[in-house]
Amino acid sequence: MADCCNQPGLVSIETAKALLLDAIKAVDDSETIPLAMAVGRILAEDVKSAVNLPPCNNSAMDGYALRMADAQTDGRLEIIGKSFAGAPFKGKLWPGTCVRIMTGAAMPADADTVVMQENVDSDGHSIRIRCDINQGDHVRRRGEDVIEGTVLAQAREQIAVPHIALLAAAGVGEVTVKRRPQIALFSTGDELRQPGEPLGNGDIYDSNRVALRAALEALDLQILDLGILPDNKAAITKALGQAAHAADAIITSGGVSVGEADYTREVMEEMGEIDLWKVAMKPGKPFAFGNIRGVPFFGLPGNPVSALVTFHQLVMPALMAMKGAEWSPPANLPAKLLSPLKKKPGRTDFQRGIFRNDTSGALVVEAVGAQGSHILSGLAAANCFVVLEQEQGSVGVGETATVVPFCRSFGAW
Ligand code: AMP
Ligand code: MG
């Protein structure tokens, strides 16, 4: 395994991501579900269009449908009928005539042009065109959006709201999608309490499990919530064994460092394999990946900011791969720093920041303040990570830094 920055056992974040993606297999099984329920799901097969879109030539405006050849004469055009959306004109045009037409109404068979109602003088029986027009104006042509038989969405695409609109427009009622992987989730720590319980001296609320649950939901995964485990080797062994039986992957937080009450590593070594241990990222160095009886296992750090940053950077791409998705993270943006950022070379830093446009329109970013791995208020205020490369040192005001926006629902964009 590649060492970096002369710290034995530290793996760069790029190496860590590659190792994770290499180890993860996509779920095989699929199911057919109503399109309306499919947002966030991964298509198991290409979806082709059975129709042209638009299905027929139709008007983009309220106005008059005519033949361009007739419009070139200087006289008036007689209105011989009406075409409404859903109630097309059934007759034929003849020289010197036009049809009143509404937006979305089918074009009369031999009409090729629409003139907007604002651009004609009408007495109710005939019109005179008041402006220059071109053949094909304001006509939406059959198949100009989608031609029958073409692929609307591809296997491995994650269905988003715009896909739903496109597929629904093509009359698709059901889609075949990959099964949603089941993710077992638990927290470890004798100090953890459920929200609502009283806090004893030294206790804290279990925020990681609630936040990770919400993030897994945003990724449209199924969740097996196994609660809080005590710092007890036997309890952790039992829970991991049960989880490996029931789930496609296991996520825990806490207990992965080298303290006296950190049992996760020991249990993993006994029940499975550890592929990866320390990642050169900040926050988030103690991150474990491996498997328990063949089931992928992600051991997140206990510190709440570290847990969410490692989830976002390492676990999310792996879970998207497990869902069967062809997915890449959002593009990075260069932004000018409004506040100095302290950093020591050695680990890739994911500082929490707020990016925006300044008055000149330039992209600027400022850190949210304290950057400790327990400072949840900063993470809650942030809309991006400011990523400082592994070997980089501190950065000053006015320098350019890399901003990685994150979807605040933690769903995959
Ligand atoms: P650990 O990795 O178990 O040593 O935990 C590191 C730090 O994260 C400690 O301050 C823990 O109290 C805290 N922590 C661990 N698990 C959680 C959790 N589920 N929610 C909030 N904080 C946690
Ligand atoms: Mg702990």
Side-chain angles (χ1 to χ4, degrees):
M1 192 173 292
D3 283 356
C4 56
C5 31
N6 305 320
Q7 295 189 48
L10 263 191
V11 182
S12 74
I13 185 159
E14 291 76 21
T15 306
K17 274 188 197 169
L19 283 170
L20 286 173
L21 291 176
D22 203 43
I24 295 292
K25 288 189 187 58
V27 290
D28 277 336
D29 4 351
S30 54
E31 55 187 333
T32 299
I33 60 167
L35 177 66
M37 314 273 291
V39 75
R41 302 296 294 265
I42 309 300
L43 277 172
E45 54 191 34
D46 290 355
V47 182
K48 289 188 179 164
S49 184
V51 296
N52 288 295
L53 287 180
C56 66
N57 290 347
N58 70 91
S59 178
M61 291 288 171
D62 294 328
Y64 297 86
L66 45 86
R67 298 184 304 191
M68 189 62 193
D70 295 338
Q72 277 150 352
T73 63
D74 205 22
R76 297 186 74 89
L77 298 176
E78 185 190 348
I79 306 168
I80 58 162
K82 288 185 180 175
S83 187
F84 287 92
F89 174 73
K90 295 204 177 71
K92 284 193 79 146
L93 295 175
W94 59 87
T97 62
C98 67
V99 161
R100 177 89 174 105
I101 195 164
M102 309 301 158
T103 304
M107 290 290 283
D110 42 1
D112 56 18
T113 303
V114 170
V115 57
M116 287 164 67
Q117 62 189 28
E118 292 84 345
N119 290 335
V120 304
D121 293 323
S122 169
D123 59 11
H125 304 288
S126 64
I127 60 165
R128 211 175 58 79
I129 300 169
R130 280 197 272 105
C131 65
D132 290 338
I133 61 172
N134 295 302
Q135 188 168 35
D137 275 357
H138 309 306
V139 178
R140 301 164 172 166
R141 280 171 295 101
R142 175 175 195 258
E144 77 176 8
D145 184 3
V146 172
I147 293 174
E148 182 186 330
T150 52
V151 173
L152 295 166
Q154 288 181 336
R156 307 194 61 198
E157 267 190 81
Q158 172 164 255
I159 301 177
V161 173
H163 292 113
I164 303 238
L166 176 63
L167 271 59
V172 174
E174 290 185 324
V175 281
T176 302
V177 294
K178 292 279 193 179
R179 171 175 71 81
R180 295 193 302 158
Q182 165 106 313
I183 314 297
L185 174 66
F186 54 83
S187 303
T188 66
D190 288 336
E191 74 280 32
L192 301 180
R193 296 287 167 271
Q194 300 267 30
E197 287 178 4
L199 283 186
N201 186 21
D203 293 347
I204 56 167
Y205 289 116
D206 175 9
S207 60
N208 287 350
R209 194 162 45 91
V210 188
L212 290 169
R213 219 194 135 110
L216 291 169
E217 254 156 35
L219 290 175
D220 197 37
L221 293 155
Q222 299 195 80
I223 300 152
L224 184 62
D225 189 339
L226 297 176
I228 301 168
L229 292 183
D231 291 317
N232 171 302
K233 197 173 156 189
I236 295 174
T237 305
K238 188 168 165 218
L240 283 175
Q242 283 171 347
H245 203 67
D248 296 296
I250 306 166
I251 299 178
T252 69
S253 72
V256 285
S257 11
V258 287
E260 282 180 23
D262 294 331
Y263 296 111
T264 312
R265 176 179 194 159
E266 255 181 64
V267 174
M268 275 181 80
E269 274 166 350
E270 284 170 21
M271 297 184 78
E273 286 162 295
I274 301 180
D275 295 336
L276 178 66
W277 192 248
K278 289 177 188 160
V279 182
M281 63 187 288
K282 189 180 175 197
K285 185 167 69 170
F287 173 89
F289 176 70
N291 71 75
I292 302 287
R293 300 188 181 135
V295 175
F297 171 90
F298 303 90
L300 305 187
N303 275 309
V305 177
S306 314
L308 281 181
V309 173
T310 49
F311 179 86
H312 192 274
Q313 290 298 309
L314 298 171
V315 183
M316 189 157 91
L319 294 180
M320 290 304 289
M322 181 172 275
K323 283 178 68 164
E326 186 86 73
W327 175 78
S328 45
N332 297 343
L333 308 168
K336 204 168 79 176
L337 274 172
L338 296 180
S339 46
L341 299 179
K342 273 199 196 154
K343 180 181 183 299
K344 286 191 203 136
R347 291 199 267 161
T348 305
D349 220 348
F350 292 85
Q351 303 218 3
R352 278 71 67 203
I354 299 175
F355 79 109
R356 59 181 165 81
N357 293 114
D358 68 10
T359 48
S360 72
L363 208 56
V364 293
V365 64
E366 60 190 317
V368 290
Q371 293 284 340
S373 55
H374 59 296
I375 305 286
L376 277 174
S377 53
L379 182 63
N383 63 6
C384 69
F385 295 124
V386 188
V387 181
L388 303 176
E389 295 306 325
Q390 195 168 307
E391 293 312 332
Q392 195 175 331
S394 295
V395 212
V397 172
E399 290 189 57
T400 301
T402 302
V403 156
V404 179
F406 56 75
C407 175
R408 284 169 57 84
S409 75
F410 264 52
W413 267 335

